[in-house]
Amino acid sequence: MTATDPALTALAQGWCALSLLHGRIEAHIERALQGGHDLSVREYSLLDVLSRQHDGEGGHLQMKQVADAVVLSQSATTRLVTRLEDRGLLERYLCPTDRRGIYTNVTEAGLRLLEEARPTNDAALREALDEAAKDAALAPLVRVVESLNVPA
């Protein structure tokens, strides 16, 4: 394949469309969450991921798993956890069975904020997808996103 190969050009255009859709959605949700709840998209995502933990087998996530879930590096995730901990939305404690492990849980205040912010997040996502569906280049991607049935 050459640099002007139509298959590569189509692939690059598809990637650009996907990146554009992601950027538009994230920016729309960011404005809504910041304006209504003083939360960033990443902060909301972290609270959401950590709120799904449980005390059963494999119920608590390691920081690498959390980082993967919120699509950040481990160091960026640690800084984000620290910021939310400083706001009283998260707390860290030692793993009761492995003193080397540190768990992070959402506090009651964090759970309340998450529940208050969830409708804002959901509405902003819907609005962003509806707006993107009006763009002929993005409409097929919107349909794919809407058809996905991925567990949280």
Side-chain angles (χ1 to χ4, degrees):
M1 286 191 216
T2 66
T4 57
D5 186 310
L8 286 177
T9 301
L11 188 62
Q13 289 171 337
W15 169 244
C16 286
L18 181 60
S19 181
L20 177 62
L21 178 63
H22 176 269
R24 285 186 183 178
I25 291 170
E26 187 170 60
H28 190 80
I29 294 172
E30 181 80 24
R31 285 189 301 274
L33 288 173
Q34 282 289 348
H37 307 282
D38 194 27
L39 276 176
S40 71
V41 169
R42 297 282 188 226
E43 291 168 337
Y44 175 88
S45 296
L46 181 64
L47 288 172
D48 185 53
V49 166
L50 292 176
S51 74
R52 297 173 194 276
Q53 296 183 123
H54 55 84
D55 287 330
E57 184 69 28
H60 278 84
L61 301 173
Q62 298 171 349
M63 284 306 278
K64 180 176 180 353
Q65 293 170 303
V66 174
D68 289 345
V70 295
V71 194
L72 289 173
S73 68
Q74 282 187 268
S75 61
T77 301
T78 299
R79 288 190 302 273
L80 184 57
V81 165
T82 299
R83 280 198 314 270
L84 292 177
E85 185 178 34
D86 290 346
R87 290 176 59 187
L89 303 174
L90 296 178
E91 59 189 2
R92 290 183 240 204
Y93 65 95
L94 290 176
C95 170
T97 58
D98 178 0
R99 304 303 276 178
R100 295 170 297 170
I102 297 175
Y103 288 160
T104 304
N105 276 339
V106 182
T107 63
E108 288 300 320
L111 290 172
R112 279 192 306 276
L113 181 58
L114 179 62
E115 289 310 308
E116 291 168 8
R118 193 177 306 282
T120 302
N121 179 79
D122 295 349
L125 173 59
R126 181 74 266 159
E127 291 165 4
L129 287 170
D130 289 347
E131 188 60 32
K134 297 174 186 174
D135 183 326
L138 299 179
L141 294 172
V142 171
R143 286 192 297 275
V144 168
V145 169
E146 291 172 334
S147 72
L148 294 175
N149 188 14
V150 180

